[in-house]
């Protein structure tokens, strides 16, 4: 993208304004890539599981089913579950997560690091495909990448200032054979159940 910063109208130290704009553009690029990563994980998933609701029993059954999936596929790498805030909260609040069972849940920090062997990473809802609430993937199988090809400020003739030019490329990669090890979870309430 292109953007101009005019020395006559900038309401800040010029170099600070330039740094602020670069930071904002970088953050926007990260959000864009996060959204694309979620879409790519969804499209790459070799298996799809449904969760009827966030009840303790349903969530526990879901994680047991997905654990069985990974054991039967003989996946030995650590698996991370990227989950929406609603699913994350239901796991944190699950009465099964007790110190008596060796669980380390911090109510103070609203946190739980692992559940049933899966590392948990809470992700904003907007990075999931609509209707989906979790993506499970072995670590290092799904590889997102981004590169900034150009980030420069060029003096311009049109006004007393610079044109900020930013250009980046990004994408995702997963081996076709590894798609079977990616599981997505859809929230689908049971009708009339």
């Amino acid at each position: 993208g292109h953007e101009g910063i005019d020395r006559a109208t900038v309401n800040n130290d010029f170099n600070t304004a330039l740094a602020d704009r670069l930071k904002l553009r970088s953050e926007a690029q990260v959000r864009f890539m996060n959204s694309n990563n979620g879409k790519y994980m969804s499209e790459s998933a070799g298996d799809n599981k449904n969760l009827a609701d966030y009840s303790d029993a349903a969530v526990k059954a879901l994680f047991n089913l997905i654990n069985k999936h990974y054991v039967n596929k003989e996946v030995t790498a650590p698996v991370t579950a990227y989950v929406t805030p609603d699913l994350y909260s239901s796991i944190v609040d699950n009465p099964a997560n007790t110190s008596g069972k060796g669980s380390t849940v911090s109510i103070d920090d609203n946190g739980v690091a692992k559940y049933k062997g899966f590392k948990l990473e809470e992700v904003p809802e907007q990075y999931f495909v609509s209707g989906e609430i979790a993506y499970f993937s072995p670590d290092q199988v799904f590889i997102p990448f981004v590169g900034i090809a150009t980030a420069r400020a060029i003096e311009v003739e049109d006004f007393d200032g610079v044109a900020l030019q930013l250009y980046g490329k990004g994408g995702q990669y997963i081996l076709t054979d590894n798609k079977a090890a990616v599981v997505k979870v859809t929230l689908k309430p049971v009708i009339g159940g």
Side-chain angles (χ1 to χ4, degrees), residues 59-139:
V59 171
K60 187 167 83 177
L62 170 75
F63 273 76
N64 286 342
L65 187 65
I66 294 173
N67 179 63
K68 181 179 175 181
H69 170 86
Y70 282 109
V71 170
N72 287 342
K73 291 222 175 289
E74 300 181 42
V75 174
T76 56
V79 176
T80 298
Y82 302 92
V83 300
T84 60
D86 286 341
L87 181 53
Y88 185 80
S89 291
S90 71
I91 294 166
V92 171
D93 296 342
N94 191 316
N97 285 326
T98 64
S99 57
K101 289 190 175 184
S103 180
T104 51
V105 176
S106 168
I107 301 304
D108 294 344
D109 296 329
N110 193 38
V112 57
K114 290 179 94 174
Y115 183 64
K116 294 197 168 280
F118 298 104
K119 286 186 294 178
L120 298 176
E121 190 167 320
E122 187 178 20
V123 177
E125 290 176 1
Q126 61 265 31
Y127 299 142
F128 289 85
V129 170
S130 179
E132 296 174 0
I133 57 168
Y135 303 124
F136 288 74
S137 178
D139 295 352

Side-chain angles (χ1 to χ4, degrees), residues 13 42 46 92 149 157 190:
D13 173 74
S42 176
V92 171
E157 295 176 8
V190 177

